[in-house]
Amino acid sequence: MFEKRPINPIRYTQQMKPDTVTPYAKAGVQRGFEAILSPLLQQAAMNSTSIINVAIDGTHGAQYQHVLARIIDVLEQEGHKTVLIGTNSFMKTSEDLRTFFEANITDNRAFGYFSDAKIADYFVLEAQDKIDNYKQQIQLPAQQITFIITFGPGAYWLGNGNYDITYFLDVSREYQQLEHKSHLLNFGFSWNRDVVEKYKICLFVEWPVLETYRKEVLDSIHYYVDMNEPECPKLTTVFTLRQMIADIAKSPMRVKPFFAPGIWGGQYLKKFAELPKEWANCAWSFEPIAPENSILLKYNDEIIEVPFLIVMHYEHPAILGNRIVGLFGDYFPIRFDYLDTIDGDSLSCQVHPKQEYIRETFNEFMAQQESYYIMENLENTSVFLGLTEQSTKEEFYNAVHHAQESGEPIQITDFVNQYEANKGDLFLIPTGTVHASGKNNLVLEISSTTWWFTFKIYDFLRKGMDGKPRPINIDHAFDNIDFDKKTAWVEDNLIPKPSLLQKQGINEEYVLGQREDLLFYVHRVHLHDTWEDHTNNEMVMYNLVEGEKVRIVSCADESIYVELQYAESYILPAMFSAYKIINIGNKPCKLVKAGVSKAWDVSLL
């Protein structure tokens, strides 16, 4: 059965001890609101002054009120006074934030410009001085301890770090996006147009600012709190969190898959992964798109969910290896994700921007290079790739414009090649290449991590699941289409045949696809019994595309292993070194293997 909540065990055999500077810290991971309260009560019992300053910082969307309500109840029952200060009291107004970030939000429905702002830019001028003055004016009762609790994103910064106890409440991007569909607005905003705008502002403004802030401040925080289950928070010290992350970075790891429906989505993933019956379909599964995924860590009997970005922040050298770090820093450069159109519909005809264009137009540092691996399909399926020999820029441009304006459909194959797609085929998609998956395919995308910059050229005049017209980006698209990538060139360059790389007994490794203009390579291992390999000091990714189950085992310590079932993906960190893959199913297996191409030497930092 496909595991939707893969657990990454902490293999360190001795008890992890919290650092000595965290007040009243306990070892390991604790659950429940009592764990959050315990340091506060101990501080009150030991306090020699009348004021205890507390910061409850964190990610936007975390349930601060759940935590505060319980803290206030218990502290007041213990006879203590509480004063609450929300960071939103010192923020710019929603209108001022929209004005400040206007160039980042833009008037495009889908695309913005990545912000380089800092957490201070969300706040009014001299906000730190103003909160300090406010605290000094608080009337303190005699013979009673007062807890002054500053809460909300930016709390640590707002108080200049002058706190006795500090917490960081965190949630995943997946959690935030689910909350966006109900009530959650963007940080500091009093209104949003729709869910599309919420995601766009998150992607181009909120996440770049707040996730950078989290990296900057986390080592100064005492307690990290996983709030992805608001009624059952999980607490650990940041020091312990770092120890846990360092431990998992030595072994194969798997992120928590992130599923989402879409207008063209199919039924294969919905059934296979046992997704909610009320979902109309499942279009995407991300595993991994590193910025979007979280990872589940298990220490003793407790599980804590952590954004994978934090793992990469602390352990990118161990995970990626020195050469890849030199190219991409702490950014995980490759993604695996599924596109499911089985019993669904074709994707839009689309193109992705080139490196210079994406950097100058959107402030995105990595171009969106892709490939389609056909993992499953029904009969007579296809992939659209490159332009027909007779296609011209003017005719194509006029045709898609006319379709959008008139509502009259066009025959897309007049302009774009349509190729038969079979299980196991790979189609390479450099930037500037027009492409789409046809209906009735399950595609494993093996691509550079960038995922948002899809310029839809023609979308069959469909509306989105919200009933609104889907964003079409004809002008962006035609600024990037390579009109020399036509039928003959495509067939010679983008539909490669497998090439045998090496054999081990009856097992084989094939090169499926690799180009100088793609930062990734795609290989496939055909496994009957056992395959031995080495990371060679660089991250490697695997997906079991055919077969039942395999075990990946460390050659240095055979007690360290993971098991992959069909369609699951694992990351092998650079420092994992020598390993073997053992077929533990009842039939031969095939695994897609991917990593950063040895030929890629372009630093995107």
Side-chain angles (χ1 to χ4, degrees), residues 113-114 327 353-367 453 602-605:
Y113 187 87
F114 280 105
L327 298 172
K354 300 175 184 178
Q355 181 67 47
E356 184 177 352
Y357 192 92
I358 201 171
R359 190 182 287 270
E360 291 184 358
T361 309
F362 306 109
N363 201 27
E364 165 60 53
F365 86 107
M366 179 183 284
F453 294 93
V602 181
S603 174
L604 299 181
L605 297 177

mmCIF file with all atom_site columns, all heavy atoms in Angstrom, residues 113-114 327 353-367 453 602-605:
data_model
loop_
_atom_site.group_PDB
_atom_site.id
_atom_site.type_symbol
_atom_site.label_atom_id
_atom_site.label_alt_id
_atom_site.label_comp_id
_atom_site.label_asym_id
_atom_site.label_entity_id
_atom_site.label_seq_id
_atom_site.pdbx_PDB_ins_code
_atom_site.Cartn_x
_atom_site.Cartn_y
_atom_site.Cartn_z
_atom_site.occupancy
_atom_site.B_iso_or_equiv
_atom_site.pdbx_formal_charge
_atom_site.auth_seq_id
_atom_site.auth_comp_id
_atom_site.auth_asym_id
_atom_site.auth_atom_id
_atom_site.pdbx_PDB_model_num
ATOM 1   N N   . TYR A 1 113 ? 6.548  38.972 -8.654  1.00 0.00 ? 113 TYR A N   1
ATOM 2   C CA  . TYR A 1 113 ? 8.001  39.179 -8.674  1.00 0.00 ? 113 TYR A CA  1
ATOM 3   C C   . TYR A 1 113 ? 8.502  38.883 -7.270  1.00 0.00 ? 113 TYR A C   1
ATOM 4   O O   . TYR A 1 113 ? 8.064  39.510 -6.295  1.00 0.00 ? 113 TYR A O   1
ATOM 5   C CB  . TYR A 1 113 ? 8.314  40.622 -9.073  1.00 0.00 ? 113 TYR A CB  1
ATOM 6   C CG  . TYR A 1 113 ? 9.767  40.921 -9.289  1.00 0.00 ? 113 TYR A CG  1
ATOM 7   C CD1 . TYR A 1 113 ? 10.361 40.707 -10.527 1.00 0.00 ? 113 TYR A CD1 1
ATOM 8   C CD2 . TYR A 1 113 ? 10.569 41.430 -8.263  1.00 0.00 ? 113 TYR A CD2 1
ATOM 9   C CE1 . TYR A 1 113 ? 11.712 40.985 -10.740 1.00 0.00 ? 113 TYR A CE1 1
ATOM 10  C CE2 . TYR A 1 113 ? 11.914 41.716 -8.467  1.00 0.00 ? 113 TYR A CE2 1
ATOM 11  C CZ  . TYR A 1 113 ? 12.479 41.493 -9.717  1.00 0.00 ? 113 TYR A CZ  1
ATOM 12  O OH  . TYR A 1 113 ? 13.808 41.772 -9.915  1.00 0.00 ? 113 TYR A OH  1
ATOM 13  N N   . PHE A 1 114 ? 9.398  37.905 -7.142  1.00 0.00 ? 114 PHE A N   1
ATOM 14  C CA  . PHE A 1 114 ? 9.823  37.454 -5.821  1.00 0.00 ? 114 PHE A CA  1
ATOM 15  C C   . PHE A 1 114 ? 10.408 38.604 -5.010  1.00 0.00 ? 114 PHE A C   1
ATOM 16  O O   . PHE A 1 114 ? 11.288 39.329 -5.459  1.00 0.00 ? 114 PHE A O   1
ATOM 17  C CB  . PHE A 1 114 ? 10.842 36.327 -5.924  1.00 0.00 ? 114 PHE A CB  1
ATOM 18  C CG  . PHE A 1 114 ? 10.234 34.985 -6.199  1.00 0.00 ? 114 PHE A CG  1
ATOM 19  C CD1 . PHE A 1 114 ? 10.324 34.400 -7.457  1.00 0.00 ? 114 PHE A CD1 1
ATOM 20  C CD2 . PHE A 1 114 ? 9.539  34.318 -5.211  1.00 0.00 ? 114 PHE A CD2 1
ATOM 21  C CE1 . PHE A 1 114 ? 9.754  33.173 -7.719  1.00 0.00 ? 114 PHE A CE1 1
ATOM 22  C CE2 . PHE A 1 114 ? 8.958  33.079 -5.453  1.00 0.00 ? 114 PHE A CE2 1
ATOM 23  C CZ  . PHE A 1 114 ? 9.061  32.505 -6.713  1.00 0.00 ? 114 PHE A CZ  1
ATOM 24  N N   . LEU A 1 327 ? 26.626 24.865 -6.480  1.00 0.00 ? 327 LEU A N   1
ATOM 25  C CA  . LEU A 1 327 ? 25.763 25.304 -7.582  1.00 0.00 ? 327 LEU A CA  1
ATOM 26  C C   . LEU A 1 327 ? 24.463 25.917 -7.109  1.00 0.00 ? 327 LEU A C   1
ATOM 27  O O   . LEU A 1 327 ? 23.959 26.869 -7.721  1.00 0.00 ? 327 LEU A O   1
ATOM 28  C CB  . LEU A 1 327 ? 25.451 24.103 -8.491  1.00 0.00 ? 327 LEU A CB  1
ATOM 29  C CG  . LEU A 1 327 ? 26.640 23.434 -9.193  1.00 0.00 ? 327 LEU A CG  1
ATOM 30  C CD1 . LEU A 1 327 ? 26.185 22.167 -9.894  1.00 0.00 ? 327 LEU A CD1 1
ATOM 31  C CD2 . LEU A 1 327 ? 27.282 24.384 -10.185 1.00 0.00 ? 327 LEU A CD2 1
ATOM 32  N N   . PRO A 1 353 ? 9.624  29.409 -19.037 1.00 0.00 ? 353 PRO A N   1
ATOM 33  C CA  . PRO A 1 353 ? 10.551 30.486 -19.405 1.00 0.00 ? 353 PRO A CA  1
ATOM 34  C C   . PRO A 1 353 ? 12.016 30.077 -19.314 1.00 0.00 ? 353 PRO A C   1
ATOM 35  O O   . PRO A 1 353 ? 12.390 29.193 -18.550 1.00 0.00 ? 353 PRO A O   1
ATOM 36  C CB  . PRO A 1 353 ? 10.228 31.586 -18.389 1.00 0.00 ? 353 PRO A CB  1
ATOM 37  C CG  . PRO A 1 353 ? 9.676  30.856 -17.209 1.00 0.00 ? 353 PRO A CG  1
ATOM 38  C CD  . PRO A 1 353 ? 8.934  29.684 -17.771 1.00 0.00 ? 353 PRO A CD  1
ATOM 39  N N   . LYS A 1 354 ? 12.830 30.807 -20.065 1.00 0.00 ? 354 LYS A N   1
ATOM 40  C CA  . LYS A 1 354 ? 14.267 30.582 -20.083 1.00 0.00 ? 354 LYS A CA  1
ATOM 41  C C   . LYS A 1 354 ? 14.919 31.253 -18.872 1.00 0.00 ? 354 LYS A C   1
ATOM 42  O O   . LYS A 1 354 ? 14.319 32.079 -18.193 1.00 0.00 ? 354 LYS A O   1
ATOM 43  C CB  . LYS A 1 354 ? 14.841 31.102 -21.398 1.00 0.00 ? 354 LYS A CB  1
ATOM 44  C CG  . LYS A 1 354 ? 14.236 30.403 -22.610 1.00 0.00 ? 354 LYS A CG  1
ATOM 45  C CD  . LYS A 1 354 ? 14.725 31.012 -23.908 1.00 0.00 ? 354 LYS A CD  1
ATOM 46  C CE  . LYS A 1 354 ? 14.040 30.363 -25.107 1.00 0.00 ? 354 LYS A CE  1
ATOM 47  N NZ  . LYS A 1 354 ? 14.463 30.975 -26.389 1.00 0.00 ? 354 LYS A NZ  1
ATOM 48  N N   . GLN A 1 355 ? 16.169 30.880 -18.633 1.00 0.00 ? 355 GLN A N   1
ATOM 49  C CA  . GLN A 1 355 ? 16.859 31.318 -17.426 1.00 0.00 ? 355 GLN A CA  1
ATOM 50  C C   . GLN A 1 355 ? 16.896 32.838 -17.289 1.00 0.00 ? 355 GLN A C   1
ATOM 51  O O   . GLN A 1 355 ? 16.533 33.393 -16.250 1.00 0.00 ? 355 GLN A O   1
ATOM 52  C CB  . GLN A 1 355 ? 18.284 30.756 -17.416 1.00 0.00 ? 355 GLN A CB  1
ATOM 53  C CG  . GLN A 1 355 ? 19.103 31.128 -16.189 1.00 0.00 ? 355 GLN A CG  1
ATOM 54  C CD  . GLN A 1 355 ? 18.565 30.500 -14.921 1.00 0.00 ? 355 GLN A CD  1
ATOM 55  O OE1 . GLN A 1 355 ? 18.278 29.312 -14.898 1.00 0.00 ? 355 GLN A OE1 1
ATOM 56  N NE2 . GLN A 1 355 ? 18.406 31.277 -13.866 1.00 0.00 ? 355 GLN A NE2 1
ATOM 57  N N   . GLU A 1 356 ? 17.336 33.534 -18.292 1.00 0.00 ? 356 GLU A N   1
ATOM 58  C CA  . GLU A 1 356 ? 17.451 34.990 -18.211 1.00 0.00 ? 356 GLU A CA  1
ATOM 59  C C   . GLU A 1 356 ? 16.094 35.639 -18.016 1.00 0.00 ? 356 GLU A C   1
ATOM 60  O O   . GLU A 1 356 ? 15.936 36.569 -17.225 1.00 0.00 ? 356 GLU A O   1
ATOM 61  C CB  . GLU A 1 356 ? 18.121 35.528 -19.476 1.00 0.00 ? 356 GLU A CB  1
ATOM 62  C CG  . GLU A 1 356 ? 18.374 37.035 -19.445 1.00 0.00 ? 356 GLU A CG  1
ATOM 63  C CD  . GLU A 1 356 ? 19.106 37.524 -20.677 1.00 0.00 ? 356 GLU A CD  1
ATOM 64  O OE1 . GLU A 1 356 ? 19.560 36.680 -21.490 1.00 0.00 ? 356 GLU A OE1 1
ATOM 65  O OE2 . GLU A 1 356 ? 19.216 38.755 -20.841 1.00 0.00 ? 356 GLU A OE2 1
ATOM 66  N N   . TYR A 1 357 ? 15.078 35.111 -18.702 1.00 0.00 ? 357 TYR A N   1
ATOM 67  C CA  . TYR A 1 357 ? 13.735 35.683 -18.624 1.00 0.00 ? 357 TYR A CA  1
ATOM 68  C C   . TYR A 1 357 ? 13.135 35.498 -17.236 1.00 0.00 ? 357 TYR A C   1
ATOM 69  O O   . TYR A 1 357 ? 12.552 36.425 -16.664 1.00 0.00 ? 357 TYR A O   1
ATOM 70  C CB  . TYR A 1 357 ? 12.836 35.028 -19.678 1.00 0.00 ? 357 TYR A CB  1
ATOM 71  C CG  . TYR A 1 357 ? 11.506 35.711 -19.897 1.00 0.00 ? 357 TYR A CG  1
ATOM 72  C CD1 . TYR A 1 357 ? 11.366 36.683 -20.867 1.00 0.00 ? 357 TYR A CD1 1
ATOM 73  C CD2 . TYR A 1 357 ? 10.381 35.369 -19.146 1.00 0.00 ? 357 TYR A CD2 1
ATOM 74  C CE1 . TYR A 1 357 ? 10.150 37.309 -21.099 1.00 0.00 ? 357 TYR A CE1 1
ATOM 75  C CE2 . TYR A 1 357 ? 9.158  35.983 -19.356 1.00 0.00 ? 357 TYR A CE2 1
ATOM 76  C CZ  . TYR A 1 357 ? 9.053  36.954 -20.332 1.00 0.00 ? 357 TYR A CZ  1
ATOM 77  O OH  . TYR A 1 357 ? 7.840  37.570 -20.537 1.00 0.00 ? 357 TYR A OH  1
ATOM 78  N N   . ILE A 1 358 ? 13.284 34.310 -16.676 1.00 0.00 ? 358 ILE A N   1
ATOM 79  C CA  . ILE A 1 358 ? 12.664 34.030 -15.378 1.00 0.00 ? 358 ILE A CA  1
ATOM 80  C C   . ILE A 1 358 ? 13.334 34.833 -14.268 1.00 0.00 ? 358 ILE A C   1
ATOM 81  O O   . ILE A 1 358 ? 12.690 35.262 -13.305 1.00 0.00 ? 358 ILE A O   1
ATOM 82  C CB  . ILE A 1 358 ? 12.684 32.508 -15.082 1.00 0.00 ? 358 ILE A CB  1
ATOM 83  C CG1 . ILE A 1 358 ? 11.626 32.144 -14.038 1.00 0.00 ? 358 ILE A CG1 1
ATOM 84  C CG2 . ILE A 1 358 ? 14.054 32.038 -14.635 1.00 0.00 ? 358 ILE A CG2 1
ATOM 85  C CD1 . ILE A 1 358 ? 11.443 30.641 -13.862 1.00 0.00 ? 358 ILE A CD1 1
ATOM 86  N N   . ARG A 1 359 ? 14.631 35.080 -14.421 1.00 0.00 ? 359 ARG A N   1
ATOM 87  C CA  . ARG A 1 359 ? 15.337 35.861 -13.410 1.00 0.00 ? 359 ARG A CA  1
ATOM 88  C C   . ARG A 1 359 ? 14.975 37.336 -13.513 1.00 0.00 ? 359 ARG A C   1
ATOM 89  O O   . ARG A 1 359 ? 14.681 37.986 -12.505 1.00 0.00 ? 359 ARG A O   1
ATOM 90  C CB  . ARG A 1 359 ? 16.854 35.662 -13.543 1.00 0.00 ? 359 ARG A CB  1
ATOM 91  C CG  . ARG A 1 359 ? 17.659 36.241 -12.388 1.00 0.00 ? 359 ARG A CG  1
ATOM 92  C CD  . ARG A 1 359 ? 19.151 36.066 -12.606 1.00 0.00 ? 359 ARG A CD  1
ATOM 93  N NE  . ARG A 1 359 ? 19.611 34.694 -12.433 1.00 0.00 ? 359 ARG A NE  1
ATOM 94  C CZ  . ARG A 1 359 ? 20.021 34.196 -11.285 1.00 0.00 ? 359 ARG A CZ  1
ATOM 95  N NH1 . ARG A 1 359 ? 19.999 34.931 -10.186 1.00 0.00 ? 359 ARG A NH1 1
ATOM 96  N NH2 . ARG A 1 359 ? 20.452 32.955 -11.204 1.00 0.00 ? 359 ARG A NH2 1
ATOM 97  N N   . GLU A 1 360 ? 14.970 37.875 -14.715 1.00 0.00 ? 360 GLU A N   1
ATOM 98  C CA  . GLU A 1 360 ? 14.709 39.302 -14.893 1.00 0.00 ? 360 GLU A CA  1
ATOM 99  C C   . GLU A 1 360 ? 13.247 39.657 -14.683 1.00 0.00 ? 360 GLU A C   1
ATOM 100 O O   . GLU A 1 360 ? 12.926 40.713 -14.131 1.00 0.00 ? 360 GLU A O   1
ATOM 101 C CB  . GLU A 1 360 ? 15.147 39.745 -16.293 1.00 0.00 ? 360 GLU A CB  1
ATOM 102 C CG  . GLU A 1 360 ? 16.655 39.730 -16.500 1.00 0.00 ? 360 GLU A CG  1
ATOM 103 C CD  . GLU A 1 360 ? 17.058 40.262 -17.861 1.00 0.00 ? 360 GLU A CD  1
ATOM 104 O OE1 . GLU A 1 360 ? 16.147 40.613 -18.659 1.00 0.00 ? 360 GLU A OE1 1
ATOM 105 O OE2 . GLU A 1 360 ? 18.269 40.333 -18.125 1.00 0.00 ? 360 GLU A OE2 1
ATOM 106 N N   . THR A 1 361 ? 12.344 38.785 -15.091 1.00 0.00 ? 361 THR A N   1
ATOM 107 C CA  . THR A 1 361 ? 10.911 39.099 -15.057 1.00 0.00 ? 361 THR A CA  1
ATOM 108 C C   . THR A 1 361 ? 10.275 38.759 -13.722 1.00 0.00 ? 361 THR A C   1
ATOM 109 O O   . THR A 1 361 ? 9.346  39.456 -13.281 1.00 0.00 ? 361 THR A O   1
ATOM 110 C CB  . THR A 1 361 ? 10.184 38.346 -16.186 1.00 0.00 ? 361 THR A CB  1
ATOM 111 O OG1 . THR A 1 361 ? 10.865 38.573 -17.427 1.00 0.00 ? 361 THR A OG1 1
ATOM 112 C CG2 . THR A 1 361 ? 8.742  38.817 -16.326 1.00 0.00 ? 361 THR A CG2 1
ATOM 113 N N   . PHE A 1 362 ? 10.766 37.715 -13.059 1.00 0.00 ? 362 PHE A N   1
ATOM 114 C CA  . PHE A 1 362 ? 10.114 37.223 -11.844 1.00 0.00 ? 362 PHE A CA  1
ATOM 115 C C   . PHE A 1 362 ? 11.043 37.146 -10.636 1.00 0.00 ? 362 PHE A C   1
ATOM 116 O O   . PHE A 1 362 ? 10.596 36.786 -9.545  1.00 0.00 ? 362 PHE A O   1
ATOM 117 C CB  . PHE A 1 362 ? 9.503  35.839 -12.100 1.00 0.00 ? 362 PHE A CB  1
ATOM 118 C CG  . PHE A 1 362 ? 8.576  35.801 -13.280 1.00 0.00 ? 362 PHE A CG  1
ATOM 119 C CD1 . PHE A 1 362 ? 8.944  35.157 -14.444 1.00 0.00 ? 362 PHE A CD1 1
ATOM 120 C CD2 . PHE A 1 362 ? 7.347  36.436 -13.235 1.00 0.00 ? 362 PHE A CD2 1
ATOM 121 C CE1 . PHE A 1 362 ? 8.107  35.123 -15.543 1.00 0.00 ? 362 PHE A CE1 1
ATOM 122 C CE2 . PHE A 1 362 ? 6.498  36.406 -14.329 1.00 0.00 ? 362 PHE A CE2 1
ATOM 123 C CZ  . PHE A 1 362 ? 6.876  35.752 -15.489 1.00 0.00 ? 362 PHE A CZ  1
ATOM 124 N N   . ASN A 1 363 ? 12.324 37.433 -10.800 1.00 0.00 ? 363 ASN A N   1
ATOM 125 C CA  . ASN A 1 363 ? 13.306 37.327 -9.724  1.00 0.00 ? 363 ASN A CA  1
ATOM 126 C C   . ASN A 1 363 ? 13.419 35.897 -9.206  1.00 0.00 ? 363 ASN A C   1
ATOM 127 O O   . ASN A 1 363 ? 13.734 35.669 -8.041  1.00 0.00 ? 363 ASN A O   1
ATOM 128 C CB  . ASN A 1 363 ? 12.979 38.285 -8.568  1.00 0.00 ? 363 ASN A CB  1
ATOM 129 C CG  . ASN A 1 363 ? 14.182 38.581 -7.695  1.00 0.00 ? 363 ASN A CG  1
ATOM 130 O OD1 . ASN A 1 363 ? 15.317 38.527 -8.143  1.00 0.00 ? 363 ASN A OD1 1
ATOM 131 N ND2 . ASN A 1 363 ? 13.935 38.888 -6.433  1.00 0.00 ? 363 ASN A ND2 1
ATOM 132 N N   . GLU A 1 364 ? 13.166 34.918 -10.072 1.00 0.00 ? 364 GLU A N   1
ATOM 133 C CA  . GLU A 1 364 ? 13.332 33.504 -9.761  1.00 0.00 ? 364 GLU A CA  1
ATOM 134 C C   . GLU A 1 364 ? 14.702 33.069 -10.271 1.00 0.00 ? 364 GLU A C   1
ATOM 135 O O   . GLU A 1 364 ? 15.070 33.343 -11.411 1.00 0.00 ? 364 GLU A O   1
ATOM 136 C CB  . GLU A 1 364 ? 12.229 32.678 -10.416 1.00 0.00 ? 364 GLU A CB  1
ATOM 137 C CG  . GLU A 1 364 ? 12.488 31.177 -10.476 1.00 0.00 ? 364 GLU A CG  1
ATOM 138 C CD  . GLU A 1 364 ? 12.665 30.528 -9.122  1.00 0.00 ? 364 GLU A CD  1
ATOM 139 O OE1 . GLU A 1 364 ? 11.782 30.699 -8.253  1.00 0.00 ? 364 GLU A OE1 1
ATOM 140 O OE2 . GLU A 1 364 ? 13.696 29.854 -8.909  1.00 0.00 ? 364 GLU A OE2 1
ATOM 141 N N   . PHE A 1 365 ? 15.470 32.363 -9.442  1.00 0.00 ? 365 PHE A N   1
ATOM 142 C CA  . PHE A 1 365 ? 16.856 32.091 -9.809  1.00 0.00 ? 365 PHE A CA  1
ATOM 143 C C   . PHE A 1 365 ? 17.030 30.824 -10.634 1.00 0.00 ? 365 PHE A C   1
ATOM 144 O O   . PHE A 1 365 ? 18.074 30.632 -11.256 1.00 0.00 ? 365 PHE A O   1
ATOM 145 C CB  . PHE A 1 365 ? 17.732 32.044 -8.555  1.00 0.00 ? 365 PHE A CB  1
ATOM 146 C CG  . PHE A 1 365 ? 17.787 30.704 -7.875  1.00 0.00 ? 365 PHE A CG  1
ATOM 147 C CD1 . PHE A 1 365 ? 18.936 29.932 -7.953  1.00 0.00 ? 365 PHE A CD1 1
ATOM 148 C CD2 . PHE A 1 365 ? 16.715 30.210 -7.146  1.00 0.00 ? 365 PHE A CD2 1
ATOM 149 C CE1 . PHE A 1 365 ? 19.018 28.697 -7.320  1.00 0.00 ? 365 PHE A CE1 1
ATOM 150 C CE2 . PHE A 1 365 ? 16.781 28.985 -6.513  1.00 0.00 ? 365 PHE A CE2 1
ATOM 151 C CZ  . PHE A 1 365 ? 17.942 28.221 -6.607  1.00 0.00 ? 365 PHE A CZ  1
ATOM 152 N N   . MET A 1 366 ? 16.026 29.942 -10.688 1.00 0.00 ? 366 MET A N   1
ATOM 153 C CA  . MET A 1 366 ? 16.192 28.666 -11.384 1.00 0.00 ? 366 MET A CA  1
ATOM 154 C C   . MET A 1 366 ? 15.131 28.507 -12.466 1.00 0.00 ? 366 MET A C   1
ATOM 155 O O   . MET A 1 366 ? 13.935 28.625 -12.202 1.00 0.00 ? 366 MET A O   1
ATOM 156 C CB  . MET A 1 366 ? 16.089 27.500 -10.394 1.00 0.00 ? 366 MET A CB  1
ATOM 157 C CG  . MET A 1 366 ? 16.234 26.118 -11.046 1.00 0.00 ? 366 MET A CG  1
ATOM 158 S SD  . MET A 1 366 ? 16.020 24.776 -9.848  1.00 0.00 ? 366 MET A SD  1
ATOM 159 C CE  . MET A 1 366 ? 17.604 24.844 -8.993  1.00 0.00 ? 366 MET A CE  1
ATOM 160 N N   . ALA A 1 367 ? 15.557 28.232 -13.687 1.00 0.00 ? 367 ALA A N   1
ATOM 161 C CA  . ALA A 1 367 ? 14.626 27.993 -14.777 1.00 0.00 ? 367 ALA A CA  1
ATOM 162 C C   . ALA A 1 367 ? 13.877 26.677 -14.554 1.00 0.00 ? 367 ALA A C   1
ATOM 163 O O   . ALA A 1 367 ? 14.366 25.771 -13.878 1.00 0.00 ? 367 ALA A O   1
ATOM 164 C CB  . ALA A 1 367 ? 15.361 27.965 -16.112 1.00 0.00 ? 367 ALA A CB  1
ATOM 165 N N   . PHE A 1 453 ? 6.059  28.287 -12.917 1.00 0.00 ? 453 PHE A N   1
ATOM 166 C CA  . PHE A 1 453 ? 6.130  29.165 -14.086 1.00 0.00 ? 453 PHE A CA  1
ATOM 167 C C   . PHE A 1 453 ? 5.733  28.429 -15.366 1.00 0.00 ? 453 PHE A C   1
ATOM 168 O O   . PHE A 1 453 ? 6.546  28.154 -16.238 1.00 0.00 ? 453 PHE A O   1
ATOM 169 C CB  . PHE A 1 453 ? 7.515  29.787 -14.179 1.00 0.00 ? 453 PHE A CB  1
ATOM 170 C CG  . PHE A 1 453 ? 7.763  30.705 -13.016 1.00 0.00 ? 453 PHE A CG  1
ATOM 171 C CD1 . PHE A 1 453 ? 8.378  30.242 -11.865 1.00 0.00 ? 453 PHE A CD1 1
ATOM 172 C CD2 . PHE A 1 453 ? 7.327  32.017 -13.058 1.00 0.00 ? 453 PHE A CD2 1
ATOM 173 C CE1 . PHE A 1 453 ? 8.570  31.078 -10.781 1.00 0.00 ? 453 PHE A CE1 1
ATOM 174 C CE2 . PHE A 1 453 ? 7.514  32.864 -11.974 1.00 0.00 ? 453 PHE A CE2 1
ATOM 175 C CZ  . PHE A 1 453 ? 8.127  32.396 -10.837 1.00 0.00 ? 453 PHE A CZ  1
ATOM 176 N N   . VAL A 1 602 ? 26.784 25.206 -14.080 1.00 0.00 ? 602 VAL A N   1
ATOM 177 C CA  . VAL A 1 602 ? 26.318 26.591 -14.019 1.00 0.00 ? 602 VAL A CA  1
ATOM 178 C C   . VAL A 1 602 ? 25.772 26.865 -12.618 1.00 0.00 ? 602 VAL A C   1
ATOM 179 O O   . VAL A 1 602 ? 24.747 26.300 -12.223 1.00 0.00 ? 602 VAL A O   1
ATOM 180 C CB  . VAL A 1 602 ? 25.229 26.876 -15.072 1.00 0.00 ? 602 VAL A CB  1
ATOM 181 C CG1 . VAL A 1 602 ? 24.779 28.339 -14.985 1.00 0.00 ? 602 VAL A CG1 1
ATOM 182 C CG2 . VAL A 1 602 ? 25.738 26.551 -16.465 1.00 0.00 ? 602 VAL A CG2 1
ATOM 183 N N   . SER A 1 603 ? 26.447 27.721 -11.877 1.00 0.00 ? 603 SER A N   1
ATOM 184 C CA  . SER A 1 603 ? 25.955 28.095 -10.555 1.00 0.00 ? 603 SER A CA  1
ATOM 185 C C   . SER A 1 603 ? 24.791 29.061 -10.710 1.00 0.00 ? 603 SER A C   1
ATOM 186 O O   . SER A 1 603 ? 24.873 30.041 -11.456 1.00 0.00 ? 603 SER A O   1
ATOM 187 C CB  . SER A 1 603 ? 27.063 28.754 -9.738  1.00 0.00 ? 603 SER A CB  1
ATOM 188 O OG  . SER A 1 603 ? 26.539 29.239 -8.511  1.00 0.00 ? 603 SER A OG  1
ATOM 189 N N   . LEU A 1 604 ? 23.708 28.795 -10.007 1.00 0.00 ? 604 LEU A N   1
ATOM 190 C CA  . LEU A 1 604 ? 22.529 29.661 -10.073 1.00 0.00 ? 604 LEU A CA  1
ATOM 191 C C   . LEU A 1 604 ? 22.404 30.542 -8.840  1.00 0.00 ? 604 LEU A C   1
ATOM 192 O O   . LEU A 1 604 ? 21.377 31.170 -8.620  1.00 0.00 ? 604 LEU A O   1
ATOM 193 C CB  . LEU A 1 604 ? 21.264 28.813 -10.257 1.00 0.00 ? 604 LEU A CB  1
ATOM 194 C CG  . LEU A 1 604 ? 21.227 27.970 -11.531 1.00 0.00 ? 604 LEU A CG  1
ATOM 195 C CD1 . LEU A 1 604 ? 19.918 27.197 -11.625 1.00 0.00 ? 604 LEU A CD1 1
ATOM 196 C CD2 . LEU A 1 604 ? 21.437 28.817 -12.774 1.00 0.00 ? 604 LEU A CD2 1
ATOM 197 N N   . LEU A 1 605 ? 23.449 30.592 -8.040  1.00 0.00 ? 605 LEU A N   1
ATOM 198 C CA  . LEU A 1 605 ? 23.406 31.402 -6.831  1.00 0.00 ? 605 LEU A CA  1
ATOM 199 C C   . LEU A 1 605 ? 23.499 32.878 -7.192  1.00 0.00 ? 605 LEU A C   1
ATOM 200 O O   . LEU A 1 605 ? 24.167 33.243 -8.155  1.00 0.00 ? 605 LEU A O   1
ATOM 201 C CB  . LEU A 1 605 ? 24.546 31.017 -5.895  1.00 0.00 ? 605 LEU A CB  1
ATOM 202 C CG  . LEU A 1 605 ? 24.493 29.581 -5.371  1.00 0.00 ? 605 LEU A CG  1
ATOM 203 C CD1 . LEU A 1 605 ? 25.716 29.300 -4.518  1.00 0.00 ? 605 LEU A CD1 1
ATOM 204 C CD2 . LEU A 1 605 ? 23.223 29.351 -4.569  1.00 0.00 ? 605 LEU A CD2 1
#
